[in-house]
Amino acid sequence: MRKIEHIGMAVRDIEEANKTYRALLNTEPYKAEEVESEGVLTSFFKIGDSKIELLAATNPESPIAKFIEKRGEGIHHIAFDVEDIEAEISRLEKEGFVLISKNPKNGADNKMVAFLHPKSSHGVLVELCQDAGSR
């Protein structure tokens, strides 16, 4: 793992959250996109080397909708940048971590992603991210 790639924030309304984070961070989001496979709209803010990803559900069955229903808005996950996502998945499995999906998939912001189950990381949903172009 090379660095924290971003912190994901679950929000009910992406436009309202964008307004809040524009004011808070004094900057505009650099990217917004929908990830249909996950039922989510995303919006990304960058501050120095750090990024915040806002996530809003596009349907009531999406993981974000279920998260907000159970826990409310707030920090959803922490994402780590990795050089080789498949090697990192293998390493973490050998260390005893449980993966939600053992195969990387396309995520937002041109990333390949995989998630560790929060039960194996003290209640924190951990995302592994690799630039899709570097595979």
Side-chain angles (χ1 to χ4, degrees):
M1 295 197 193
R2 301 187 293 191
K3 66 176 183 174
I4 293 174
E5 210 290 326
H6 67 268
I7 298 172
M9 310 291 284
V11 301
R12 285 187 177 87
D13 182 318
I14 199 91
E15 292 307 319
E16 285 301 313
N18 274 332
K19 288 178 191 175
T20 300
Y21 280 85
R22 274 187 197 106
L24 176 68
L25 304 173
N26 196 30
T27 190
E28 294 292 321
Y30 72 86
K31 185 175 198 175
E33 68 182 281
E34 181 175 355
V35 182
E36 286 187 44
S37 63
E38 297 300 312
V40 68
L41 292 174
T42 66
S43 182
F44 286 89
F45 289 83
K46 188 165 184 168
I47 314 98
D49 291 335
S50 301
K51 291 191 245 178
I52 300 291
E53 176 188 29
L54 303 179
L55 304 129
T58 59
N59 69 67
E61 296 305 311
S62 78
I64 294 299
K66 291 176 181 178
F67 177 91
I68 289 173
E69 182 180 310
K70 187 175 181 181
R71 296 194 176 112
E73 293 181 298
I75 295 175
H76 179 259
H77 66 270
I78 185 164
F80 293 95
D81 175 64
V82 299
E83 187 173 350
D84 183 337
I85 195 166
E86 290 167 347
E88 199 62 22
I89 288 169
S90 178
R91 182 188 76 80
L92 291 168
E93 279 187 306
K94 288 176 187 165
E95 291 288 342
F97 290 91
V98 176
L99 281 105
I100 292 174
S101 172
K102 294 184 181 190
N103 296 312
K105 56 186 173 180
N106 292 324
D109 204 24
N110 196 37
K111 305 285 186 211
M112 294 300 299
V113 301
F115 290 89
L116 301 181
H117 197 286
K119 289 180 182 177
S120 65
S121 50
H122 299 276
V124 177
L125 179 62
V126 172
E127 179 181 13
L128 307 176
C129 295
Q130 179 182 338
D131 287 331
S134 65
R135 283 190 82 197

